[in-house]
């Protein structure tokens, strides 16, 4: 099963850490910038970090509304 391509403002849930969710805040040729979401407020913590798209798709599952 192939993972969807990430888009800005999409939310992804960790496959390995219960409750860990990240928000895609930016996309460029290198990959995506993801910010961890605070479990209480749902707001991003800090500016986030860059990661390759493949790593995001392997470690997270995109949430659907």
């Amino acid at each position: 099963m192939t993972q969807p391509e990430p888009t800005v403002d999409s939310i992804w849930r960790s496959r390995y850490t219960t409750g860990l969710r990240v928000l895609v805040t930016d996309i460029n040729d290198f990959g995506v910038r993801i910010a961890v979401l605070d479990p209480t407020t749902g707001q991003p913590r800090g500016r986030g970090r860059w990661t390759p798209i493949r790593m995001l798709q392997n470690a997270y599952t995109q949430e659907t509304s």
Side-chain angles (χ1 to χ4, degrees), residues 34-49:
I34 57 174
V36 173
L37 293 175
D38 184 292
T40 305
T41 65
Q43 296 299 311
R45 292 181 180 165
R47 293 182 50 210
R49 62 181 165 81

Side-chain angles (χ1 to χ4, degrees), residues 6-37:
T7 57
V8 172
D9 293 333
S10 60
I11 297 175
W12 294 66
R13 182 178 304 275
S14 174
R15 296 174 188 263
Y16 307 106
T17 305
T18 303
L20 177 61
R21 296 165 67 221
V22 297
L23 173 71
V24 174
T25 60
D26 197 5
I27 300 173
N28 69 13
D29 292 338
F30 171 76
V32 295
R33 181 176 223 141
I34 57 174
V36 173
L37 293 175

